[in-house]
Each structure stands twice: as structure tokens, then as C-alpha cells.
Amino acid sequence: MIELRQVSKAFSGSTRYAVDRLTLAVPSGRTCVLIGPSGCGKTTTLRMINRLIEPTSGRILVEGEDVMKVDPVGLRRRIGYVIQQIGLFPHMTIAENVGTVPRLLGWPKAKIKNRVEEMLRLVGLDPAEFLARHPRHLSGGQRQRVGVARALAADPPVMLMDEPFGAVDPVVRARLQGEFVAILRRLGKTVVFVTHDIDEAVRMGDLVAIMDEGRLVQFGPPDRLLAGPKNAFVADFVGADRALKRLALITAGAAAEPGAAPESAPTIGEEASLRDVLALLLAQNADAARVVDAAGRPKGALTLAAIRRAAAAPAVNDAADEAAAGPRAACTAPAAPPSWPA
């Protein structure tokens, strides 16, 4: 678990806090996305977790341990860190890049070699093809995969990801998002993920924290934020198409209703989102789709009316997710930043 308790950060010379008394908790094995406009404090918050930036006040706990009471270098070696620029060492091979932290931790060479190959396979890169290459020989998407493999190499329980897919093209980006959210959840990592893209936040996050001017504005599962924006700022930020965004969170299999679709109805897999089903129905001028499982067995039917009902349904409240937001002191009026010596 990652906990932030009344965490603030004021930079010297600033007239306001970059982060103002932020309180939230990320349960173990969950992904929390920090999102908000430029300058809202999301990247500052991320970097305080591994002490690349020191907090001005408050406490940050990683797995129950106060980060200010441990060696920062040791802390960072226990936390995976992925950034937009990737930061691969250009003079090192891919094998050497991925093995960086295990090597610093003193792992035996044979164990490092096995781990590097395992991580490359995990992110979809063939070790035989990529181990001896250098970063300059890779595409942007391949370099990003190597960056994630490197961050996972020492099996850290916590991952910090700062706009990791921002430098790749939209098609590759969508594919990487889907692949890596599946990997991180399968591995049970606790993740804090920074983005400015609400579609990416909805796709990647189990929990989403919307920030503005250093303060937490709303926190909860994506479906709840889309279904019930707390105020005009959140409603504007998540967009007028938030009903469509909610459809992306629901699979066809989960929403399929008993019964058979007309013979002329298009067929779609149960893992497709309702947003995909809606796009298919509109493209084919159809009123219903046949939903099938991976083996092609029928799972039911989906109609336009059923999709409308799903889009309008209230979000399910989860007390555990609500508790993770912590006290609402983070949303009180901001205090004045400290006075700095001349």
C-alpha cells in the first residue's frame, strides 16, 4: 500500500503550494492514476513517493514504511520508475539496461541473465533478437517496453509511471496501454501512474485522483467519477462524452442479455467493450449484436437499448475505495505557503 497523509510541497520562491495537504491511499495491487491540468501537482506528487523531490510536510508511507526514514537510494532501488523519456542508457545493450538494478543489488550473473530474458518475454520482446541491441536500434514502442522491463526487473512491489506512453504514436500507445495494464495487474503491482489524458486514466486506473492547483478534487474508481462528477471542474475535465467513456469500462460479456440476436446481427467477442459494440452497431446500421466467447459459443445478445441502459446506470459505490481516499482535509481551503529566507 502507498499512503499520503497531509502531504504538501512548496518550492522556494513560489507563491503557492505545488501540492497542498494531499491525503489518499492506494491499496496493494491497485493502479491509481493522478490526473489534472498542467501544474496541478501530479508529477510532483509522484516524485515525492521515491524522494526525487522531498516533501515540505506530511508523511508518505510505502508498505507501512515512512519514506523519509529510509535511505533514498535504497528506496529507489525498491521502486520501479518509468518515465516518458524512458531514460535507457545509450551505451549499454538492452540486456545491460534491463539488468541495471539487479546488478546494483548484487544479484549473481546467472540470475540476472535469466531475469532479463524473462522480463523481455513478459513485455513481448524476443530475447534472442533484442538482448544484444542498443536503444538506438529500437522503435519508440520497443524502447518503452524495455523501460518497463527494466523497472520490473528487480520485482519491485511498487511502480511509478510518469506519462510513460506519451512519446509513442496513438496506435502503439493504445496497444501498450492494454498490454501493460494486464501485466501489472497479473503481477499484483501497486502502481501510481501520471497522465494528462482522461481516456488513458480510465483505461489504466483502478482508482483515479483528479487534482487541481495541488489539491485533490475527486478520488475513486473511474466509473464513479464518470457517473457522478463532484463539481463543474471535474465534469469539464472528464468531458461531455463521459457516458461513452463509461461504456469503455464494461465488457460485452458482462452486459449481454439472454436470448438470441437476429440472424443478420453482427458478432462480437465477449471481451469487447460496450463502446466497441456501439461503434459496430452504428457502422453496420444494426439494432443488436450477437455476443460469443473465445470458443465462439453464444453468450447472449446486446441491443442498443441495453447499451443505453448501461450508460445511464448509476455507479456502484465501494466503501473500500471510498476509504482509500482518506480524510477530506485535502479539499479544504489552502494555507499560505511558508516564507522563505532571502
Side-chain angles (χ1 to χ4, degrees):
M1 174 180 279
I2 301 172
E3 296 181 76
L4 287 82
R5 300 178 181 175
Q6 295 286 292
V7 174
S8 296
K9 177 63 184 179
F11 291 101
S12 179
S14 175
T15 58
R16 67 176 182 85
Y17 280 104
V19 175
D20 180 32
R21 290 172 292 171
L22 178 62
T23 294
L24 60 82
V26 185
S28 297
R30 308 292 287 279
T31 295
C32 174
V33 178
L34 305 180
I35 188 169
S38 296
C40 72
K42 54 188 183 291
T43 293
T44 298
T45 298
L46 185 85
R47 293 179 178 175
M48 285 192 289
I49 294 172
N50 66 356
R51 291 184 60 186
L52 288 175
I53 294 175
E54 302 281 350
T56 300
S57 61
R59 298 183 70 200
I60 301 173
L61 292 89
V62 175
E63 298 191 302
E65 188 172 36
D66 191 326
V67 300
M68 297 304 294
K69 296 181 179 179
V70 299
D71 172 63
V73 175
L75 174 72
R76 290 170 200 146
R77 289 178 183 175
R78 291 164 26 214
I79 296 177
Y81 188 44
V82 186
I83 58 176
Q84 179 176 330
Q85 296 81 11
I86 308 166
L88 299 180
F89 301 114
H91 61 289
M92 291 185 179
T93 65
I94 301 309
E96 291 168 335
N97 266 283
V98 176
T100 298
V101 175
R103 191 165 56 250
L104 291 171
L105 294 174
W107 288 21
K109 288 184 179 180
K111 183 178 178 182
I112 293 174
K113 179 179 181 296
N114 290 337
R115 183 64 174 175
V116 168
E117 293 179 359
E118 178 188 359
M119 289 300 96
L120 287 179
R121 285 191 291 268
L122 182 69
V123 299
L125 298 176
D126 181 2
E129 181 180 354
F130 289 94
L131 281 173
R133 290 194 188 185
H134 285 78
R136 64 181 178 275
H137 299 138
L138 273 57
S139 69
Q142 289 169 339
R143 287 195 297 271
Q144 198 64 65
R145 290 171 186 273
V146 173
V148 173
R150 183 176 66 180
L152 289 168
D155 198 21
V158 171
M159 294 277 291
L160 306 179
M161 306 182 78
D162 190 0
E163 303 266 12
F165 309 126
V168 297
D169 68 76
V171 174
V172 173
R173 181 177 185 172
R175 186 168 67 247
L176 289 176
Q177 288 168 349
E179 290 176 2
F180 287 121
V181 72
I183 289 171
L184 294 171
R185 287 174 181 167
R186 187 168 73 248
L187 296 177
K189 301 299 179 185
T190 306
V191 183
V192 178
F193 187 107
V194 164
T195 184
H196 66 277
D197 182 340
I198 186 63
D199 289 313
E200 183 167 70
V202 168
R203 179 190 290 260
M204 298 293 295
D206 299 305
L207 298 163
V208 176
I210 298 180
M211 299 178 64
D212 186 36
E213 296 185 344
R215 298 164 62 207
L216 181 66
V217 180
Q218 190 167 352
F219 180 73
D223 184 59
R224 194 188 309 164
L225 269 63
L226 294 172
K230 179 178 180 179
N231 54 29
F233 170 81
V234 176
D236 182 63
F237 194 84
V238 300
D241 64 340
R242 57 182 179 270
L244 281 176
K245 291 184 173 74
R246 288 191 73 199
L247 293 180
L249 300 174
I250 307 169
T251 65
E257 298 179 335
E263 288 188 11
S264 60
T267 299
I268 196 160
E270 64 179 342
E271 294 303 317
S273 72
L274 290 193
R275 190 169 182 170
D276 293 336
V277 179
L278 178 61
L280 177 69
L281 294 179
L282 293 176
Q284 298 197 15
N285 194 29
D287 294 322
R290 183 182 300 105
V291 181
V292 298
D293 64 16
R297 295 183 294 258
K299 298 288 289 185
L302 267 175
T303 63
L304 287 172
I307 294 173
R308 281 196 296 270
R309 287 195 295 273
V316 176
N317 288 325
D318 187 328
D321 289 332
E322 188 68 26
R328 290 306 183 204
C331 300
T332 57
S339 298
W340 301 103

